[in-house]
């Protein structure tokens, strides 16, 4: 073999190995991330130690997600025009649309007429992008036309205290799906919508967890449950009753929840908090099982895990029990994300809505965001480029008498207005959340000058006027069909 042939073989060999290396690199670049989106039903962020260090709720797996990921301190559900706040919230999550621009099924679950928006909801978008999609969640008070877009669907409402009737049922659906992927050696990335039916009432926890939090599944309307030293203490902003009517007559969450009804005494509230915590810890246990499975499969490091709730919850705070209000415990939601490239143990404001989830998932997956989406991707916050994606937050509850409640927040300042019962209840509240994060009212009898509602304080009249103008601007920007009593009538 002459030197030219030898040189030719060397060159060919080098090119071969370079080609292999390039192919290998390209293969690695093509590996797209997986997504595990965990959604719980009715949970205030302040139930969790991550948001309230004084909470006695034990959630080691959620804590671990927070320690290894990014915690959003300002994540919110934009609100609802429906007493079942879950329904528009889940429409917003699935579609990325704002509260007043949702399909009619957000108001009336029986109205399932086709709307083109459903072709661009979470399951449909990720299916089209080559992802394998699966969901398990409760049935009802949701977005049926979007839910059915997932390739694999195992939905059922499970609010009992056994393996088959409670949260373990949902985790079993996910574990079974992951085992099938493993058996079939699936290569395509996955998006799993891992929804729970708890801690929504009836909060029937497992016997051992109810015992841990000193709670019972109370069913006696004539007596209140006994106090137990294991129960959570009353929240700092607990009241025996709200100072004025919330404007939704015969509201289920405030009058007919089994074990609570209209009671707001210490025994009832502490027992109900114990039941809530029992259900929430069980959710944490189920999440742990799925995370362990992903780790065993070698998929955990390439999976974005998002933990959140569809909205917050009162359970005694401000003398309320339900989700039909705009205080921080209810307007805010827990929001944690952990995954590839996310800095561990960091907290950000974020100023995100749940409707921002879809565009963000698309961004992280390298998928074009549908034109129907109105939310904003917060990947810039995830990457540490920004602290927040917007500086003003708007919220609504119009599920009872109209126009209902409205809120706006900018910086430390928050305004809430109530215009209900045909004008019989018209109230304005102004809070500085830096000085009064629990939104104490005069009825809480706090000593600090700013630890109360400041709307009637003449020192803050200018700030009140500023927030009133900001609220009106946000209502116009979000196509709010109503106006409050002291706003101009034009839309």
């Amino acid at each position: 073999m002459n030197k030219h042939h030898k040189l030719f073989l060397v060159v060919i060999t080098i090119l071969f190995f370079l080609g292999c290396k390039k192919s290998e690199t390209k293969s690695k670049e093509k590996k797209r991330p997986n997504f595990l989106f965990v959604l719980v039903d009715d949970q205030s962020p302040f139930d969790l130690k991550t948001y309230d260090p004084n909470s006695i709720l034990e959630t080691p797996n959620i804590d671990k997600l927070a320690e290894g990921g990014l915690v959003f301190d300002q994540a919110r559900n934009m609100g609802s025009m429906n007493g079942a706040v879950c329904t528009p919230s889940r429409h917003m999550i699935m579609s990325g649309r704002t509260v007043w621009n949702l399909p009619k099924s957000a108001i009336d679950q029986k109205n399932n007429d086709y709307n083109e928006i459903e072709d661009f909801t979470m399951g449909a978008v990720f299916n089209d992008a080559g992802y394998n999609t699966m969901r398990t969640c409760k049935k009802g008070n949701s977005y049926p036309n979007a839910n059915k877009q997932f390739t694999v669907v195992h939905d059922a409402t499970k609010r009992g205290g056994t393996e088959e009737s409670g949260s373990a049922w949902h985790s079993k659906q996910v574990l079974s799906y992951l085992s099938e992927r493993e058996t079939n050696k699936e290569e395509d990335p996955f998006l799993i919508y891992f929804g729970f039916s708890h801690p929504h009432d009836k909060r029937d926890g497992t016997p051992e967890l109810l015992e841990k939090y000193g709670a019972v599944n109370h069913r006696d309307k004539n007596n209140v449950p006994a106090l137990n030293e294991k129960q959570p203490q009353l929240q700092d902003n607990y009241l025996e009753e709200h100072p004025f009517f919330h404007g939704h007559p015969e509201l289920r969450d405030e009058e007919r929840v089994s074990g609570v009804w209209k009671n707001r005494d210490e025994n009832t509230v502490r027992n109900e908090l114990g039941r809530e915590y029992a259900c929430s810890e069980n959710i944490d246990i189920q999440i742990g099982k799925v995370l362990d499975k992903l780790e065993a499969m070698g998929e955990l490091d390439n999976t974005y895990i998002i933990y959140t709730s569809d909205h917050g919850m009162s359970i005694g705070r401000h003398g309320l029990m339900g989700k039909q209000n705009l205080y921080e415990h209810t307007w805010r939601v827990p929001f944690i994300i952990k995954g590839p490239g996310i800095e561990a143990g960091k907290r950000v404001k974020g100023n995100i809505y749940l409707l921002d989830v879809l565009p963000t998932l698309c961004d992280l997956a390298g998928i074009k965001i549908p034109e129907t989406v109105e939310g904003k991707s917060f990947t810039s916050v995830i990457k540490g480029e920004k602290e927040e994606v917007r500086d003003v937050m708007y919220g609504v509850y119009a599920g009872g008498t109209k126009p209902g409640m409205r809120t706006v927040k900018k910086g430390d300042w928050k305004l809430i207005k109530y215009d209900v019962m045909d004008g019989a209840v018209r109230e304005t509240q102004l809070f500085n959340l830096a000085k009064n994060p629990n939104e104490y009212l005069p009825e809480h009898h706090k000593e600090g000058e700013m630890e109360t509602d400041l709307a009637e304080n003449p020192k803050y009249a200018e700030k009140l006027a500023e927030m009133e103008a900001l609220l009106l601007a946000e209502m116009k920007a979000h196509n709010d069909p109503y106006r409050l009593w002291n706003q101009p009538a034009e839309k």
Side-chain angles (χ1 to χ4, degrees):
M1 183 182 295
N2 62 41
K3 61 180 182 181
H4 295 293
H5 286 135
K6 286 181 179 179
L7 181 61
F8 176 76
L9 287 173
V10 169
V11 171
I12 290 297
T13 303
I14 291 171
L15 289 173
F16 173 77
F17 281 110
L18 285 175
C20 289
K21 194 72 177 175
K22 187 176 181 181
S23 176
E24 183 183 336
T25 302
K26 192 175 181 182
S27 176
K28 286 182 179 178
E29 287 175 354
K30 277 188 172 180
K31 190 168 176 60
R32 292 181 291 172
N34 305 310
F35 295 90
L36 179 70
F37 178 70
V38 183
L39 184 73
V40 304
D41 196 357
D42 288 14
Q43 185 179 71
S44 171
F46 304 113
D47 290 351
L48 302 172
K49 279 189 172 72
T50 298
Y51 291 92
D52 178 6
N54 295 320
S55 174
I56 66 169
L57 172 60
E58 294 188 2
T59 54
N61 293 298
I62 295 170
D63 294 347
K64 192 174 177 182
L65 287 178
E67 290 162 7
L70 183 62
V71 176
F72 284 74
D73 282 322
Q74 302 293 330
R76 303 171 189 275
N77 167 37
M78 187 178 275
S80 178
M81 76 306 284
N82 187 334
V85 181
C86 313
T87 308
S89 174
R90 290 159 193 266
H91 275 69
M92 286 185 274
I93 290 169
M94 285 292 194
S95 68
R97 305 280 291 180
T98 52
V99 67
W100 294 112
N101 293 333
L102 297 172
K104 292 179 180 178
S105 55
I107 302 173
D108 178 12
Q109 282 271 285
K110 295 178 182 177
N111 188 332
N112 281 321
D113 294 343
Y114 169 77
N115 186 304
E116 65 174 5
I117 291 171
E118 68 199 52
D119 294 333
F120 303 98
T121 53
M122 190 182 293
V125 170
F126 274 78
N127 285 339
D128 289 345
Y131 271 73
N132 290 338
T133 61
M134 180 266 175
R135 72 169 263 136
T136 181
C137 200
K138 70 173 183 179
K139 277 194 171 182
N141 291 344
S142 195
Y143 186 1
N145 285 357
N147 302 346
K148 68 184 181 183
Q149 303 287 348
F150 288 79
T151 304
V152 178
V153 180
H154 295 296
D155 283 356
T157 301
K158 298 289 182 175
R159 293 186 178 133
T162 66
E163 286 277 313
E164 182 56 31
S165 67
S167 293
W169 186 89
H170 291 297
S171 66
K172 284 179 181 176
Q173 309 314 307
V174 176
L175 292 169
S176 175
Y177 174 76
L178 290 173
S179 293
E180 286 180 19
R181 271 185 63 91
E182 199 171 24
T183 300
N184 297 332
K185 298 181 179 178
E186 289 282 352
E187 294 291 332
D188 290 333
F190 61 77
L191 166 70
I192 298 174
Y193 184 108
F194 186 13
F196 289 93
S197 310
H198 267 146
H200 190 293
D201 67 88
K202 299 179 295 185
R203 303 173 180 94
D204 289 346
T206 63
E208 62 273 16
L209 289 173
L210 287 172
E211 165 65 21
K212 177 175 179 176
Y213 293 104
V216 295
N217 290 329
H218 187 63
R219 299 287 187 264
D220 182 0
K221 280 193 173 184
N222 299 316
N223 297 287
V224 297
L227 285 176
N228 187 311
E229 62 181 8
K230 296 179 182 178
Q231 292 168 346
Q233 295 297 314
L234 293 175
Q235 305 290 353
D236 287 343
N237 48 9
Y238 162 80
L239 288 175
E240 291 183 357
E241 62 178 348
H242 196 257
F244 53 86
F245 188 60
H246 54 73
H248 194 149
E250 299 181 356
L251 176 59
R252 175 197 171 277
D253 285 43
E254 298 296 340
E255 298 189 3
R256 300 195 304 279
V257 171
S258 177
V260 180
W261 303 288
K262 295 182 182 181
N263 299 331
R264 297 295 181 271
D265 56 276
E266 180 179 359
N267 295 50
T268 297
V269 171
R270 287 183 62 188
N271 184 68
E272 203 63 15
L273 284 169
R275 297 175 74 199
E276 174 95 349
Y277 285 15
C279 294
S280 292
E281 182 168 340
N282 191 24
I283 285 172
D284 184 81
I285 291 167
Q286 306 311 319
I287 291 171
K289 293 176 184 177
V290 172
L291 295 180
D292 287 346
K293 178 64 176 177
L294 288 172
E295 187 170 29
M297 294 171 65
E299 295 279 17
L300 188 59
D301 289 343
N302 192 43
T303 301
Y304 286 102
I305 301 144
I306 298 97
Y307 177 89
T308 191
S309 175
D310 53 357
H311 45 70
M313 203 65 187
S314 302
I315 313 187
R317 301 170 179 98
H318 290 98
L320 300 169
M321 192 57 63
K323 51 199 171 248
Q324 296 83 0
N325 65 83
L326 296 174
Y327 290 113
E328 291 292 276
H329 47 70
T330 302
W331 188 30
R332 277 176 61 183
V333 295
F335 201 97
I336 303 166
I337 180 168
K338 180 181 182 295
I342 293 180
E343 185 177 346
K346 187 178 176 183
R347 300 185 82 101
V348 292
K349 288 180 184 177
N351 278 358
I352 65 172
Y353 295 116
L354 289 173
L355 62 96
D356 298 327
V357 166
L358 178 57
T360 303
L361 297 189
C362 288
D363 243 5
L364 292 172
I367 299 170
K368 182 182 178 183
I369 298 171
E371 293 181 4
T372 53
V373 166
E374 296 174 311
K376 297 182 178 182
S377 168
F378 50 84
T379 50
S380 59
V381 176
I382 291 173
K383 293 175 181 177
E385 298 166 359
K386 290 183 179 179
E387 172 70 13
E388 57 194 29
V389 293
R390 53 177 67 82
D391 61 353
V392 178
M393 302 290 282
Y394 155 85
V396 54
Y397 179 70
T401 52
K402 316 301 181 190
M405 309 172 198
R406 298 295 185 279
T407 187
V408 69
K409 178 186 177 295
K410 183 176 182 181
D412 295 333
W413 291 92
K414 179 181 176 184
L415 176 78
I416 309 179
K417 293 185 73 69
Y418 306 75
D419 189 350
V420 295
M421 303 301 292
D422 295 323
V425 178
R426 286 174 170 169
E427 297 283 344
T428 300
Q429 297 171 326
L430 180 67
F431 301 107
N432 182 294
L433 295 178
K435 301 291 185 180
N436 185 13
N438 289 318
E439 296 167 298
Y440 293 129
L441 303 174
E443 290 76 11
H444 288 105
H445 305 293
K446 297 298 177 179
E447 295 182 0
E449 178 193 331
M450 299 185 78
E451 286 187 302
T452 190
D453 169 17
L454 301 170
E456 303 300 321
N457 189 327
K459 287 175 62 175
Y460 303 100
E462 189 175 329
K463 177 57 71 173
L464 177 61
E466 176 190 327
M467 296 300 288
E468 293 266 15
L470 187 60
L471 175 61
L472 178 59
E474 286 293 297
M475 290 172 69
K476 289 179 178 178
H478 288 94
N479 296 328
D480 194 322
Y482 300 100
R483 292 294 176 263
L484 307 180
W485 80 93
N486 64 341
Q487 294 176 335
E490 76 275 3
K491 296 185 179 180

